[in-house]
Amino acid sequence: MTQLSQRILSPDLITDTHPPIVLLHGWGLNSGVFDTLAEDLSQHIGVILLDLPGFGNNAHIPLGAIEESAELISQQLPSQCHLLGWSLGGLLAQQIALLSQQNLASLLCIATSCQFMAQEDWPGIKPEVLQVFETQLAHDYRTTVQRFLAIQAMGAPNAKADILALREAIARYPEPCEASLLQGLKLLQTSDLRTQVGDIKVPTLRLYGRLDALVPVKAADQIALLQPKAKTVIMEHVSHAPFLSAREAFVEEIISFVLP
């Protein structure tokens, strides 16, 4: 079995009755983006930082189709863990929940959707935006990733500081595999879990930023109809990375959900 590299914080807090929370990052980044968040969470719960296939310390392992990648990640998860996925990581986390619900204590979807691409009846990322990134990726992937980072913080009060924090975080770890960057964009373009999210039975938190340009609040309203038992939280004055621009409030939301 392929082994994914992971980092564990506060392992002494992990017991059969107190499982850890596993953090899955978004496209173009790596687990380093969660370093500060993980330190805060680890004061309350054991934390596992897992680089997605194709990124960070797992850059040598190709990112595959959504079902394949979800299966690979699920094989690395401890039993009854809390699974938190941000953006692309949240898309994969939802697929993991559909594959192996009995192994999860809860699912936390942060600034993520079950259908990222905008359609006539569905709010999301305009198709031409991701198409431009796909075209640019073939010529200069470093610049493409930096532009994507700028979009993730767009509209937030501390956008410049958030972008700088994102850049510094990812720079501490290996660069992503270019083929996996392209595959990640394709997952965002083509994956559609709208007809399946209602089948997710584990306790679910869906947290969004009101200023998010990638997952608009209108999408949150429609996702809530598809999975009505999920808890939906809209954070004010934050964009696509609420754990950066409103970390204290974000940590409170996470801890209150997984440790009620």
Side-chain angles (χ1 to χ4, degrees), residues 137 140-147 175:
L137 200 59
D140 186 350
Y141 81 91
R142 291 184 181 87
T143 299
T144 304
V145 170
Q146 296 302 324
R147 289 173 178 167
E175 291 185 339

Side-chain angles (χ1 to χ4, degrees), residues 5-258:
S5 175
Q6 59 184 26
R7 295 179 288 135
I8 303 176
L9 280 69
S10 296
D12 54 306
L13 295 181
I14 301 174
T15 66
D16 290 341
T17 55
H18 293 88
I21 184 169
V22 180
L23 310 184
L24 303 180
H25 61 84
W27 183 85
L29 305 177
N30 52 55
S31 61
V33 74
F34 288 138
D35 278 358
T36 303
L37 169 65
E39 290 177 6
D40 290 348
L41 291 175
S42 68
Q43 304 303 308
H44 310 272
I45 188 173
V47 179
I48 296 178
L49 295 161
L50 184 64
D51 284 313
L52 297 180
F55 298 88
N57 291 326
N58 293 319
H60 60 290
I61 301 172
L63 180 68
I66 186 169
E67 297 88 353
E68 175 189 353
S69 297
E71 178 63 31
L72 174 59
I73 295 169
S74 67
Q75 293 172 359
Q76 322 287 315
L77 299 179
S79 179
Q80 291 301 301
C81 68
H82 304 280
L83 182 60
L84 182 152
W86 169 52
S87 197
L88 173 61
L91 181 66
L92 289 165
Q94 291 172 92
Q95 184 67 58
I96 291 168
L98 290 165
L99 286 173
S100 54
Q101 302 201 50
Q102 68 276 11
N103 291 330
L104 297 181
S106 69
L107 173 67
L108 301 91
C109 299
I110 311 303
T112 194
S113 181
C114 49
Q115 161 74 27
F116 274 88
M117 185 74 78
Q119 296 184 0
E120 188 173 328
D121 61 343
W122 186 265
I125 308 173
K126 293 181 179 180
E128 55 268 26
V129 172
L130 287 181
Q131 184 59 54
V132 167
F133 278 113
E134 184 175 345
T135 301
Q136 293 175 340
L137 200 59
H139 302 289
D140 186 350
Y141 81 91
R142 291 184 181 87
T143 299
T144 304
V145 170
Q146 296 302 324
R147 289 173 178 167
F148 195 72
L149 293 181
I151 290 179
Q152 301 199 41
M154 189 182 298
N158 301 312
K160 289 185 178 179
D162 290 351
I163 294 170
L164 179 60
L166 284 169
R167 288 176 177 172
E168 291 178 346
I170 65 174
R172 292 192 291 268
Y173 299 88
E175 291 185 339
C177 163
E178 291 186 53
S180 292
L181 282 169
L182 181 59
Q183 174 64 11
L185 282 182
K186 289 185 177 179
L187 293 184
L188 294 174
Q189 290 171 322
T190 62
S191 299
D192 186 354
L193 301 179
R194 287 179 292 176
T195 62
Q196 301 176 60
V197 291
D199 296 330
I200 296 176
K201 306 303 181 186
V202 298
T204 302
L205 170 66
R206 292 186 174 275
L207 189 148
Y208 308 88
R210 188 170 295 280
L211 304 179
D212 195 338
L214 299 178
V215 182
V217 172
K218 288 183 178 180
D221 295 336
Q222 295 201 35
I223 295 170
L225 295 176
L226 298 175
Q227 192 187 5
K229 291 185 178 180
K231 178 182 179 181
T232 298
V233 174
I234 309 293
M235 294 189 69
E236 305 292 335
H237 313 301
V238 298
S239 183
H240 194 61
F243 54 89
L244 286 178
S245 50
R247 192 174 72 249
E248 184 175 338
F250 181 84
V251 169
E252 289 180 2
E253 289 286 354
I254 300 306
I255 293 301
S256 66
F257 185 75
V258 299

